[in-house]
Amino acid sequence: EGIPGAYDALGLLDAEDKNTAMATADMGNALKFYEDIHDSSGLLETYHGLGTVYEEKGDIEKALSYYLRVLVQYEHRAVKPEAYFVLLDRIGHLYLKKGNTDAALHYLEEGIHNSPSPAVKDTQLTLLNAEGKVYEQRGEKAKALQYYKRELDEAKKYSKPEEEARALISIAHVLKRQNAGQSLADLKTALHIASDLHEPKLEASIYQALAGVYQQQNDYREAMNALEEQHRLLDSLLNADTAKDIAAM
């Protein structure tokens, strides 16, 4: 019973390395084992994995075909697993890449509507942010703000500080042109949260956003300071990763 799970894990690792042929071979082996032991849940996980393989490859149509096949099966279940909501997020993102914002919104909204349980709160927050981004891409800033603020409220309610920071970054991006002062205030609040969480990658993205607002205001000194801090954080992350690779070798 553990063998197909191992093949699934190997397939996902091969997909990360862009070795699609090996990844699909691993997943094919997993499917055979799951079929032999009549494990329907395992089969769905492998089809989900195949969607991930083709998404990594950049083959949107094939990725969607696997994701939608799994989604149909999950929709028949009275209690939806977390994988169902993750799928809706991925499907929404792929339709957005295709430029089909109506389809993207349909699947994202389906996930938000069906995820009242606190157990899938992280995924619901991700879906709210994704829907905000779709509206922002369509130029509907008021709608985008509505979803980002809802994400912020939910993140506060359920004590999800990292998601709170991400919501503030998204809000600041929308407000950058119309209310730069509020945008800066939101980003500084997000920076304080990220600093408390010791999340340098998140901090770096906030400094990049700060630099953009300062540049818009022609405050080039502060923009440069923010960019320098961003580069310092990214360099420290790179050095840490390099040290881990050396230690592993």
Side-chain angles (χ1 to χ4, degrees):
E1 291 178 359
I3 293 172
Y7 273 123
D8 275 339
L10 286 167
L12 292 173
L13 287 171
D14 286 327
E16 284 181 17
D17 287 339
K18 308 298 180 188
N19 190 344
T20 306
M22 186 64 77
T24 52
D26 289 331
M27 296 287 184
N29 285 326
L31 287 173
K32 287 175 190 173
F33 276 97
Y34 281 132
E35 285 167 0
D36 286 345
I37 61 175
H38 307 290
D39 186 341
S40 58
S41 293
L43 286 168
L44 291 179
E45 284 179 22
T46 303
Y47 283 128
H48 190 160
L50 281 164
T52 304
V53 169
Y54 284 107
E55 186 178 353
E56 289 279 352
K57 187 186 177 185
D59 190 335
I60 292 175
E61 296 304 329
K62 270 209 167 182
L64 275 173
S65 71
Y66 281 110
Y67 285 157
L68 290 168
R69 186 186 303 187
V70 180
L71 189 70
V72 168
Q73 298 302 315
Y74 284 144
E75 282 174 342
H76 294 308
R77 297 186 180 182
V79 178
K80 306 291 189 290
E82 187 172 359
Y84 166 76
F85 300 100
V86 173
L87 268 176
L88 288 169
D89 177 54
R90 296 317 314 149
I91 292 168
H93 274 90
L94 288 177
Y95 273 115
L96 189 57
K97 277 187 180 179
K98 282 166 60 77
N100 189 339
T101 55
D102 288 335
L105 287 170
H106 167 75
Y107 286 103
L108 294 170
E109 192 59 47
E110 186 178 332
I112 293 166
H113 178 72
N114 289 315
S115 60
S117 166
V120 293
K121 191 52 64 179
D122 286 339
T123 311
Q124 187 200 35
L125 293 170
T126 302
L127 290 165
L128 285 167
N129 189 274
E131 190 153 2
K133 289 208 169 9
V134 175
Y135 280 115
E136 195 174 347
Q137 186 170 316
R138 283 165 59 141
E140 298 179 43
K141 293 190 175 181
K143 271 270 192 184
L145 268 177
Q146 178 185 329
Y147 279 92
Y148 291 147
K149 286 180 177 178
R150 186 174 162 192
E151 177 194 8
L152 179 62
D153 290 341
E154 292 288 304
K156 286 179 178 178
K157 180 180 176 181
Y158 289 94
S159 300
K160 303 282 185 184
E162 187 169 344
E163 295 302 328
E164 187 180 336
R166 294 190 193 284
L168 285 165
I169 295 168
S170 298
I171 291 168
H173 188 265
V174 175
L175 293 176
K176 185 168 77 169
R177 296 286 178 193
Q178 62 195 69
N179 191 341
Q182 184 59 52
S183 180
L184 287 173
D186 286 338
L187 288 171
K188 286 173 181 176
T189 302
L191 188 60
H192 180 71
I193 294 169
S195 178
D196 286 345
L197 290 171
H198 304 291
E199 287 284 353
K201 193 172 182 180
L202 184 58
E203 286 183 75
S205 66
I206 296 167
Y207 276 115
Q208 183 181 22
L210 280 166
V213 180
Y214 284 129
Q215 189 175 355
Q216 177 191 297
Q217 293 184 307
N218 297 325
D219 190 343
Y220 297 112
R221 182 186 295 276
E222 287 297 336
M224 282 298 297
N225 288 340
L227 284 175
E228 284 173 4
E229 192 60 28
Q230 181 209 11
H231 291 157
R232 182 189 69 77
L233 288 162
L234 292 177
D235 286 344
S236 70
L237 285 168
L238 179 61
N239 290 337
D241 286 344
T242 304
K244 284 178 187 174
D245 289 342
I246 292 168
M249 289 173 70

